[in-house]
Structure formats: C-alpha cells, structure tokens
Amino acid sequence: MTEYWVSKQRFWCKFCQCWMSDTKAARSKHDNGNRHKESVEEWMKDNRKKKKEERIAKEDFEKDMREMDRAAR
C-alpha cells in the first residue's frame, strides 16, 4: 500500500490572527502566552466599547423619536 502525504490540522486564533498546530500542547502553550492574553483583553475592551456606543446610539434614537412624537401632538 502506498502512503500519501496528509496535512496536519491547523488552528486559527481569531484574537492573535495567527495559525498554529491544532494539538492540545500547542494550543495550551499559545492560550497561556502573553501575546494571546493581551490580544483577548484588547478584544474584550473593544467589544465592551462597541456595545456601549451601540447602547448610547439606541438611547439617543429613542429619545429623538419620543421628542418628535411629542412635537407632532
């Protein structure tokens, strides 16, 4: 039987934007690294900021709509 080349699984870290071997040891080492922890922290900070901006925009929109409704009466 002939052997053929099979590529190893790779894992894409969406926080660090990098590829790595998809093995338990490699992922554990990456997840415990400073670069990954900083990237996750920055992503969470950006996500909280984005949610806050969306909430403020929604509140401003609702306030404007209430004012327009009151002015129309």
Side-chain angles (χ1 to χ4, degrees):
M1 187 167 153
T2 56
E3 295 181 28
Y4 57 93
W5 180 80
V6 178
S7 132
K8 292 190 178 191
Q9 290 282 353
R10 304 285 283 166
F11 173 74
W12 174 254
C13 179
K14 70 178 184 177
F15 303 111
C16 301
Q17 310 260 317
C18 66
W19 289 99
M20 72 195 79
S21 296
D22 194 16
T23 61
K24 187 174 182 178
R27 288 182 70 171
S28 177
K29 182 178 179 182
H30 173 76
D31 290 346
N32 291 323
N34 288 333
R35 177 180 173 201
H36 179 75
K37 289 179 181 179
E38 289 170 359
S39 296
V40 170
E41 187 176 322
E42 183 177 332
W43 180 83
M44 290 175 67
K45 183 176 75 171
D46 290 344
N47 199 24
R48 283 191 295 265
K49 182 179 178 183
K50 189 169 131 182
K51 294 280 186 185
K52 183 178 180 182
E53 289 172 352
E54 289 174 357
R55 190 188 80 238
I56 290 171
K58 181 179 178 185
E59 289 172 355
D60 288 345
F61 174 76
E62 290 173 352
K63 179 182 172 190
D64 291 343
M65 293 303 286
R66 284 193 303 270
E67 289 175 3
M68 287 174 50
D69 189 43
R70 258 189 248 123
R73 291 182 185 190

